[in-house]
């Protein structure tokens, strides 16, 4: 029976090559999308799972809130917590909770200048971490002893990539690096590069004892935040019992701060489910995962609908075959198995093509998604199992209705030649075409909305000048800080330079929070924890940030560097001032500095447009706190200006490499994940419309063939090519138009949910859907016209000579 099914299936595939091609290619593209999306989802869900004890690793979330005396602090919301917190909580947890096996802490990453002989490398993302890190995290130490590598002061473990850059193929263990033109660090190990699916990333690990030597006090300060705290639970312990003991724990160790509390979060939830801020690395989006899963399912459904549509449309061609077989005694169940077998055979062929398509397209998909998909996945048993399930499911989904439909034909009606497709059959095909194009048009409109939002983000007025703004990174070099004003004057004297300023950070980079008391509207000092921006006299004017009240910092006022502060509009509102001018002249107390507020700047988006502008204090920063120099340059001769700046830099700071980037480029990196989302969304939308058009092309071809005699008679009676094309096309175009009407509210509903992730977002305009409708109709018309024009131009004599 199997050989018989195979023979019949082969004959039908070869007899109807065009329809076979459409079905196989359509299903192959649909299955390819499913494979790619499955790889994407698997990558997102695998974050931090490389740790062998990942299900036993938790991290400490901390909140720091200002609470007035006598007030009970409200229960913090998930987004009120920080992953970034204070150091004392770690040792206290280890001492109080016997359920904890290991506690490991690490600090915010730093950028250091590493020197070895004649090689100099400004290396970012170096992390100070506890010596027991290798007991908690499954980082593979390639060279060195994991028990001792991070024990001694001034010890550093390099990743394999960084070690190769500095030492080549030599063994770096035991060698010495000069760091920031000062201290000598001993290389005690080489660790394998952290997997791409890790939230905690680094290029090197520095022993925590190194930080303790230079910053001893901060390790005992509950109010100082610069640490991430993770712990490993013992087997057969319950985290819920630990959560119940948190109030008593805080009362024992930090009762003087009622606004402080902690929570525990599973490491497995950190990447996709955490709402806490100050994350140690990238975070993913469950909504994107759900959306891509839906898109993959939609595309596969569209491909299966093509199969069903073409199979039922060609029912007349196979009706006689079914009738003869039934007369010969073949049972309907056997016929259903035969047609289902043909569907499964096409699905297998499509699956083979899908694997090939995926393998070829994987580098492109990796680039578009920003994810590193390893080719090794094609040699895994897991992929083979998933492909078998996908192939079977696709074959059954695509073939079960046609098999049932074709096996129901009555042999007497078929063999007498009175069999005609039922109205329900025709209506079903129309409904399926509408369904296909509804989904496809929804994706097209969604793509337009995504790109409109991304364009809006890139063109939105941020409130500061980021174009043609060069950022020189000197990472707190002491010599540069000491001579910062002289270096700024030298840079400003170069042709093509418009302005020069210095700051601790630039927009888009990390900013700390600072406990700040400002005189409120009732004359009492009000304590809050706004962000703090340490800047120099020229920063506000260099970035063209607008003042809305008061004045900017000025060298003409001697006390501006020690007794003055500028805040933004959001900070003024935070302290109760609805009108910015009312905040000018009020007293402040921040980080040991007291004085008066001299001005209020207009809110500017120093962070991503995903969030509203936060309260910000712009504090004059002493030279020792500065890390960046901003240089505004003229457009038109950028290369020559940069060359001149580099020459000046080497003369003024020969000990420090000339490292620079453009502010607009670094700021826009915040939207990198959104850009990748847009690329993938566009790709899948194009594939969906392609599959839908393949089905439409097949139906148009079949319709033209079925109506060939009608077309011939109409031509003989004087119908023009335009009349005939319009006659055949209008039914299909009507279906596409109906699909467009249905797709509009569906797309609005879905994309409004996506836009909620942006504090600054577009309003979905009717113009997007009008343009989408025209695009869909145009694509459908082009698809249909190929066959309708061909049929209209055919010689009518050939089509009606047998009548």
């Amino acid at each position: 029976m199997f050989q018989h099914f195979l023979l019949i299936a082969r004959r039908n595939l070869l007899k109807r090559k065009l329809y076979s091609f459409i079905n196989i290619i359509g299903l192959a593209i649909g299955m390819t999308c499913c494979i790619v999306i499955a790889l994407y989802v698997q990558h997102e869900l695998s974050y931090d799972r490389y740790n062998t004890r990942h299900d036993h690793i938790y991290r400490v979330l901390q909140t720091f809130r200002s609470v007035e005396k006598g007030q009970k602090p409200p229960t913090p919301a998930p987004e009120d917590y920080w992953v970034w917190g204070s150091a004392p909580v770690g040792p206290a947890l280890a001492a109080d909770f016997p359920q904890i096996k290991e506690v490991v802490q690490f600090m915010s990453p730093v950028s250091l200048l590493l020197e070895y002989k004649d090689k100099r490398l400004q290396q970012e993302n170096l992390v100070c971490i506890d010596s027991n890190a290798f007991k908690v995290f499954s980082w593979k130490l390639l060279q060195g002893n994991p028990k001792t590598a991070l024990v001694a002061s001034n010890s550093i473990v390099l990743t394999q990539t960084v070690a190769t850059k500095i030492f080549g193929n030599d063994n770096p263990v035991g060698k010495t690096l000069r760091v920031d033109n000062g201290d000598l660090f001993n290389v005690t190990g080489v660790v394998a590069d952290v997997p791409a699916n890790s939230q905690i990333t680094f290029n090197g690990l520095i022993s925590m004892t190194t930080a303790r030597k230079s910053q001893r006090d901060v390790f005992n300060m509950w109010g100082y935040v610069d640490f991430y705290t993770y712990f490993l639970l013992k087997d057969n312990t319950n985290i819920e019992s630990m959560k119940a003991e948190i109030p008593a724990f805080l009362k024992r160790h930090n009762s003087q701060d009622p606004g402080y509390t902690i929570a525990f979060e599973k490491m497995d939830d950190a990447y996709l489910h955490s709402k806490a801020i100050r994350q140690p690395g990238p975070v993913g989006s469950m909504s994107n995962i759900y959306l891509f899963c839906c898109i993959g399912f939609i595309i596969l459904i569209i491909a299966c609908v093509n199969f069903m549509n073409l199979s039922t449309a060609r029912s007349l061609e196979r009706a006689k075959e079914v009738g003869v077989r039934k007369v010969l005694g073949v049972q309907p169940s056997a016929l259903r198995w035969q047609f289902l077998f043909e569907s499964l055979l096409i699905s297998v062929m499509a699956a083979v093509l899908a694997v090939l398509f995926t393998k070829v397209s994987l580098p492109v998909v990796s680039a578009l998604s920003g994810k590193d998909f390893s080719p090794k996945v094609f040699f895994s048993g897991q992929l083979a199992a998933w492909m078998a399930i996908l192939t079977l499911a696709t074959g059954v989904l695509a073939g079960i209705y046609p098999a049932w439909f074709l096996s129901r034909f009555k042999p007497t009606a078929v063999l007498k030649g009175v069999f005609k497709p039922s109205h329900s059959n025709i209506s079903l095909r129309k409904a399926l075409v509408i369904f296909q194009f509804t989904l496809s048009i929804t994706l097209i409109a969604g793509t337009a909305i995504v790109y409109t939002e991304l364009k809006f983000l890139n063109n939105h007025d941020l409130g500061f000048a980021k174009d043609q703004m060069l950022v020189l990174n000197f990472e707190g070099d002491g010599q540069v800080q000491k001579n910062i004003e002289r270096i700024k004057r030298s840079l400003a004297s170069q042709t093509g330079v418009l302005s020069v300023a210095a700051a601790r950070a630039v927009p888009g980079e990390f900013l700390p929070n600072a406990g700040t008391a400002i005189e409120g509207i009732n004359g009492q000092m009000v304590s809050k924890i706004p962000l703090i921006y340490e800047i120099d006299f020229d920063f506000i004017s260099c970035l063209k940030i607008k003042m809305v009240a008061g004045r900017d910092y000025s060298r003409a006022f001697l006390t501006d560097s020690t007794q003055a502060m500028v805040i933004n509009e959001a900070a003024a509102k935070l302290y109760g001032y609805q009108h910015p001018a009312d905040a000018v002249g009020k007293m402040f107390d921040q980080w040991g500095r007291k004085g008066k507020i001299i001005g209020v700047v207009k809110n500017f988006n120093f962070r991503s447009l995903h969030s509203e502008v936060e309260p910000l204090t712009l504090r004059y920063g002493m030279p020792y706190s500065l890390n960046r120099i901003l240089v505004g340059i003229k457009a038109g001769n950028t290369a020559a200006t940069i060359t001149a700046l580099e020459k000046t830099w080497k003369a003024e700071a020969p000990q420090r490499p000339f490292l620079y980037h453009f502010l607009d480029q670094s700021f826009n990196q915040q939207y990198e994940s959104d850009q990748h989302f847009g690329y993938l969304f566009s790709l899948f939308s194009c594939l969906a419309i392609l599959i839908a058009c393949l089905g439409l092309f097949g139906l148009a071809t079949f319709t033209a063939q079925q109506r060939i005699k009608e077309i011939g008679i109409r031509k003989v009676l004087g119908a023009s090519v335009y009349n005939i094309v319009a006659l055949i096309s209008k039914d299909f175009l009507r279906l596409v138009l109906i699909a467009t009407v249905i797709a509009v509210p569906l797309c609005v509903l879905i994309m409004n949910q996506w836009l909620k992730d942006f504090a600054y977002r577009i309003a979905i305009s009717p113009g997007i859907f009008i343009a989408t409708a025209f695009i869909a109709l145009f694509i459908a018309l082009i698809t249909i016209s190929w066959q309708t024009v061909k049929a209209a131009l055919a010689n009518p004599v050939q089509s009606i000579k047998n009548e």
Side-chain angles (χ1 to χ4, degrees):
M1 183 177 289
F2 176 80
Q3 290 180 340
H4 175 72
F5 283 173
L6 188 61
L7 177 64
I8 298 300
R10 177 176 173 275
R11 285 177 180 174
N12 278 293
L13 289 174
L14 295 177
K15 182 179 179 180
R16 302 171 180 87
K17 296 182 179 65
L18 176 62
Y19 301 116
S20 300
F21 173 81
I22 291 173
N23 282 330
I24 293 171
I25 292 297
L27 288 176
I29 294 174
M31 295 170 80
T32 300
C33 291
C34 287
I35 296 172
V36 169
I37 290 172
L39 292 176
Y40 175 86
V41 172
Q42 182 187 44
H43 184 276
E44 293 295 278
L45 295 177
S46 68
Y47 261 74
D48 297 318
R49 302 300 174 94
Y50 66 90
N51 291 291
T52 56
R53 302 297 305 279
H54 63 85
D55 56 336
H56 282 64
I57 300 176
Y58 288 79
R59 61 184 188 176
V60 181
L61 307 181
Q62 305 178 52
T63 60
F64 302 85
R65 297 169 294 165
S66 297
V67 178
E68 299 296 331
K69 288 184 178 180
Q71 290 185 349
K72 184 179 179 181
T75 302
E79 54 271 13
D80 292 334
Y81 284 100
W82 296 6
V83 187
W84 193 56
S86 58
V89 69
L93 287 171
D96 286 21
F97 291 96
Q99 301 98 317
I100 294 178
K101 185 174 182 180
E102 298 284 347
V103 174
V104 61
Q105 292 182 303
F106 57 92
M107 301 178 71
S108 302
V110 295
S111 177
L112 299 174
L113 179 63
L114 306 181
E115 294 181 76
Y116 177 73
K117 296 183 178 179
D118 59 341
K119 292 184 179 180
R120 305 171 76 205
L121 177 67
Q122 184 70 40
Q123 186 58 62
E124 298 181 347
N125 206 15
L126 300 174
V127 176
C128 284
I129 195 166
D130 286 334
S131 60
N132 61 342
F134 295 105
K135 294 181 180 179
V136 177
F137 305 113
S138 301
W139 299 327
K140 186 178 180 181
L141 198 64
L142 303 177
Q143 298 180 43
N145 187 339
K147 295 181 180 180
T148 60
L150 293 169
V151 173
S153 178
N154 287 23
S155 296
I156 185 170
V157 174
L158 302 174
T159 61
Q160 190 173 20
T161 298
V162 175
T164 302
K165 285 181 182 179
I166 300 175
F167 300 100
N169 295 324
D170 294 343
N171 182 1
V173 177
K175 291 183 169 59
T176 302
L177 291 172
R178 184 171 295 278
V179 177
D180 275 354
N181 300 305
D183 293 340
L184 297 177
F185 277 46
N186 296 317
V187 180
T188 55
V190 176
V191 64
D193 292 344
V194 182
N197 55 346
S198 176
Q199 195 188 38
I200 304 173
T201 62
F202 55 84
N203 291 312
L205 301 173
I206 301 171
S207 61
M208 188 67 84
T209 50
T210 308
R212 287 182 179 276
K213 183 174 65 175
S214 59
Q215 306 178 61
R216 185 175 302 276
D217 293 341
V218 303
F219 286 86
N220 298 314
M221 297 169 60
W222 285 87
Y224 183 89
V225 290
D226 195 22
F227 296 83
Y228 296 93
T229 304
Y230 286 68
F231 60 87
L232 177 64
L233 276 184
K234 294 178 181 178
D235 293 333
N236 302 318
T237 53
N238 186 0
I239 192 68
E240 297 302 323
S241 63
M242 290 180 58
K243 292 179 180 178
E245 297 179 41
I246 287 177
F249 169 82
L250 294 175
K251 188 175 182 179
R252 287 194 299 271
H253 294 281
N254 196 20
S255 59
Q256 71 277 10
D257 185 358
Y260 175 83
T261 188
I262 65 172
F264 304 137
E265 184 173 63
K266 201 170 185 178
M267 190 180 190
D268 288 350
D269 296 334
Y271 179 70
L272 286 173
H273 302 286
S274 179
K275 293 185 179 180
I277 60 174
R278 305 295 193 189
Q279 298 279 348
V283 292
S285 170
M286 276 304 299
S287 60
N288 284 357
I289 289 179
Y290 292 142
L291 189 57
F292 282 136
C293 287
C294 289
I295 290 174
F297 182 70
I298 286 170
I299 293 175
L300 188 61
I301 288 294
I302 291 174
C304 292
V305 166
N306 277 352
F307 187 96
M308 288 187 283
N309 250 343
L310 291 177
S311 297
T312 54
R314 292 189 295 108
S315 57
L316 282 175
E317 297 181 13
R318 304 200 68 174
K320 289 184 179 180
E321 174 191 342
V322 173
V324 171
R325 287 178 178 276
K326 282 194 171 184
V327 169
L328 294 175
V330 178
Q331 295 297 316
S333 59
L335 288 172
R336 284 194 286 271
W337 279 112
Q338 176 190 324
F339 294 132
L340 197 57
F341 176 82
E342 291 180 17
S343 174
L344 288 170
L345 181 61
I346 290 175
S347 182
V348 170
M349 297 170 69
V352 173
L353 280 179
V355 172
L356 294 177
F357 288 167
T358 305
K359 189 170 184 180
V360 171
S361 63
L362 208 57
V364 177
V365 174
S366 294
L368 292 178
S369 65
K371 307 294 181 182
D372 183 20
F373 299 127
S374 172
K376 295 179 181 178
V377 70
F378 288 98
F379 304 100
S380 67
Q382 187 179 20
L383 177 66
W386 278 111
M387 280 306 301
I389 295 172
L390 179 63
T391 303
L392 180 63
T394 303
V396 172
L397 184 64
I400 192 167
Y401 176 75
W404 174 81
F405 175 80
L406 292 172
S407 65
R408 291 175 63 244
F409 293 164
K410 295 181 179 180
T412 53
V414 171
L415 296 179
K416 287 180 180 180
V418 297
F419 172 79
K420 291 182 180 180
S422 66
H423 289 294
S424 60
N425 179 24
I426 296 172
S427 299
L428 176 63
R429 288 207 304 274
K430 290 181 178 180
L432 291 177
V433 170
I434 293 173
F435 176 73
Q436 280 184 309
F437 273 87
T438 296
L439 299 178
S440 301
I441 292 167
T442 300
L443 291 178
I444 294 175
T447 300
I449 292 170
V450 168
Y451 272 94
T452 304
E453 173 66 16
L454 294 178
K455 183 179 179 181
F456 172 78
L457 295 180
N458 289 328
N459 298 331
H460 182 72
D461 182 11
L462 301 173
F464 67 92
K466 64 182 176 69
D467 297 328
Q468 293 299 117
M469 188 66 64
L470 209 65
V471 180
L472 308 184
N473 179 5
F474 61 89
E475 289 297 346
D477 184 282
Q479 290 297 315
V480 175
Q481 290 173 334
K482 181 179 179 181
N483 302 300
I484 190 71
E485 290 299 325
R486 189 191 73 206
I487 294 173
K488 284 172 56 183
R489 287 193 297 269
S490 297
L491 295 172
S493 66
Q494 302 304 310
T495 303
V497 173
L498 298 174
S499 58
V500 180
R504 178 175 178 173
V506 297
E509 293 183 337
F510 167 78
L511 296 178
N513 294 75
T516 306
I518 293 180
E519 183 182 352
I521 55 177
N522 59 0
Q524 298 294 320
M525 298 299 287
V526 178
S527 296
K528 301 289 183 181
I529 313 177
L531 293 166
I532 179 173
Y533 217 148
E534 295 187 271
I535 62 174
D536 71 350
F537 286 111
D538 306 305
F539 181 85
I540 294 175
S541 59
C542 179
L543 288 182
K544 299 180 182 178
I545 300 170
K546 294 180 181 179
M547 301 293 304
V548 294
R551 62 176 177 83
D552 187 4
Y553 286 106
S554 173
R555 293 179 176 85
F557 296 89
L558 297 179
T559 57
D560 272 11
S561 62
T562 56
Q563 300 175 27
M565 177 187 286
V566 175
I567 62 176
N568 70 349
E569 292 175 295
K573 286 187 177 181
L574 178 66
Y575 287 91
Y577 297 103
Q578 297 301 315
H579 303 288
D582 295 339
V584 177
K586 301 302 181 182
M587 302 298 295
F588 76 87
D589 185 350
Q590 181 191 69
W591 277 5
R593 184 181 297 179
K594 297 181 180 181
K596 293 184 178 180
I597 295 173
I598 61 171
V600 180
V601 298
K602 185 178 179 63
N603 282 342
F604 65 99
N605 296 98
F606 52 90
R607 282 185 173 165
S608 161
L609 295 175
H610 279 275
S611 57
E612 297 279 358
V613 176
E614 297 179 63
L616 176 69
T617 61
L618 294 98
R619 168 189 172 111
Y620 177 83
M622 294 300 178
Y624 59 77
S625 66
L626 306 177
N627 292 315
R628 309 281 189 269
I629 293 178
L630 297 99
V631 183
I633 62 177
K634 296 178 182 177
N637 200 11
T638 303
T641 302
I642 293 176
T643 300
L645 291 173
E646 183 176 11
K647 184 177 180 181
T648 302
W649 184 266
K650 287 182 177 179
E652 293 287 352
Q655 80 285 355
R656 173 66 53 175
F658 180 71
L659 302 174
Y660 72 91
H661 65 269
F662 284 95
L663 180 57
D664 57 345
Q665 294 175 349
S666 62
F667 190 86
N668 289 340
Q669 285 178 355
Q670 298 177 104
Y671 309 116
E672 188 174 3
S673 61
D674 298 313
Q675 294 285 357
H676 288 307
F677 173 81
Y679 296 148
L680 286 179
F681 202 97
S682 302
L683 173 64
F684 294 135
S685 299
C686 291
L687 292 175
I689 198 69
L690 172 62
I691 297 172
C693 287
L694 279 174
L696 195 61
F697 177 79
L699 284 177
T701 303
F702 177 78
T703 301
Q705 290 174 351
Q706 291 295 309
R707 302 178 69 175
I708 191 68
K709 288 184 172 63
E710 176 191 346
I711 293 170
I713 294 170
R714 287 181 181 274
K715 287 194 69 176
V716 169
L717 295 176
S720 66
V721 172
Y722 171 79
N723 296 139
I724 294 172
V725 170
L727 176 70
I728 300 176
S729 301
K730 67 179 182 180
D731 289 337
F732 290 109
L733 294 180
R734 188 184 296 115
L735 299 179
V736 175
L737 194 58
I738 294 172
T740 303
V741 173
I742 299 173
V744 170
L746 180 62
C747 183
V748 170
L749 179 65
I750 295 172
M751 296 314 297
N752 270 330
Q753 291 296 317
W754 180 75
L755 288 171
K756 284 183 179 179
D757 287 339
F758 299 89
Y760 300 85
R761 51 183 177 266
I762 61 169
I764 300 178
S765 67
I768 291 176
F769 297 106
I770 294 172
T772 301
F774 276 112
I775 291 171
L777 288 170
F778 177 75
I779 293 173
L781 184 61
I782 293 298
T783 303
I784 298 165
S785 296
W786 176 263
Q787 285 300 319
T788 54
V789 172
K790 181 180 177 182
L793 293 175
N795 187 347
V797 175
Q798 298 297 323
S799 59
I800 62 176
K801 65 181 180 180
N802 295 326
E803 295 297 325

